[in-house]
Amino acid sequence: MANMKSVFLVIIALVFIACSNTFNSLNPPKDPAFLYGMATGANYEDAKKSAIKDLVSSIDVSLKSSQNFLANTENGITSSKQTQNIVLSTEARNLKNIEVDTIKYIKLNGERVVFIRVHLSRLSLEKQLSDKVVSYSTKALALNTACGVRLKDRDKFKELAKKALSANLTLQSLGLHYENLSKIDNLYSLILQKPEFSFKTKGIDSNSSVALALQAELSNFVSFTPNTKTNKSIEVITTNNYIDINFYCEIDNKKDLMEGIRLDLSKPIDKLDDFDIVRLRARLYKDLLD
């Protein structure tokens, strides 16, 4: 009886050791050149997707753990994290070159599941994110002019700049090579504020209901200031057939047209009623967004 008990204990010990060795063999190697993710699933595809999510979540954890450090650095890129609500790991969710290095079928809670481990080279991660930073920042800066970013391009600029800053901050957080994006960061901060314009009219009284309505709609996108305080102006020119709203910028005594909007009229301007004016505002709003 004592011998049987000893044999039973040995068997239990062997099973425990075997399980321990099995799970130890599944742990990722301590290799700083790679990032790893692992997970189980009912089938190969489910396990692989979960393993990739686990790898990405490890990047998220790294980003979150570095936030205090980043908040204290005197850098235009990092300061934007606090003021611009940048989603740090957006680009990390679209990574390529993630490879499966381990596939095993194991029993978990009495059920047979697929275990998968994936890895991604840190060099590959650095190149992918760096390429994104260059691409996004180049496209964003192409929208900038000597007079700043046009109203119609501001949302596109913000989208590209946020992606560039996000990918760059991800690189910085992971201790990889990152770019100096202070120019984009500064432009992004300016974009968050309404640009200042003076307001002028031609062919219509500036205090007329139409002019005031158009100015009110424009104020959703710009701030109005006296002509002496800005080199940018909005000029509203009216005829019986249309209203032109032109955005100008003056540099070195040269006045350049930045962009313009034409609103066609279905009736003479002095015949417009309140409903017509509301429709004009709606059309202006739509044109400013398009």
Side-chain angles (χ1 to χ4, degrees), residues 10-68:
V10 169
I11 292 174
I12 292 296
L14 289 174
V15 169
F16 177 79
I17 292 171
C19 291
S20 176
N21 289 335
T22 297
F23 283 102
N24 283 336
S25 68
L26 301 180
N27 289 329
K30 295 180 179 180
D31 188 346
F34 291 90
L35 297 171
Y36 291 90
M38 52 187 186
T40 58
N43 53 58
Y44 175 86
E45 289 301 326
D46 288 346
K48 182 180 177 181
K49 288 179 182 177
S50 296
I52 291 174
K53 286 182 180 178
D54 183 57
L55 186 151
V56 172
S57 69
S58 70
I59 298 176
D60 287 339
V61 170
S62 178
L63 289 168
K64 290 175 183 177
S65 66
S66 65
Q67 283 183 2
N68 290 335

Side-chain angles (χ1 to χ4, degrees), residues 20-22 63 75 88 103 122 128 142 146 154 159 181 194 212 223 225-227 229 233 246 249 261 264 276 282 288:
S20 176
N21 289 335
T22 297
L63 289 168
N75 183 294
L88 301 181
I103 306 174
R122 290 175 72 90
Q128 290 183 65
R154 287 167 71 86
E159 177 187 353
L181 297 185
K194 291 181 181 180
L212 291 175
S223 295
T225 188
N227 189 42
K229 294 185 178 181
S233 62
N246 296 324
C249 176
I261 296 173
D264 293 321
D276 293 324
L288 285 168

Side-chain angles (χ1 to χ4, degrees), residues 128-142:
Q128 290 183 65
L129 292 180
S130 294
D131 288 347
K132 290 176 183 291
V133 170
V134 172
S135 176
Y136 291 139
S137 59
T138 300
K139 292 176 181 177
L141 290 175

Side-chain angles (χ1 to χ4, degrees), residues 103-115:
I103 306 174
K104 290 193 176 183
Y105 294 90
I106 61 175
K107 276 196 172 183
L108 191 63
N109 297 326
E111 295 185 4
R112 188 170 181 267
V113 296
V114 182
F115 170 90

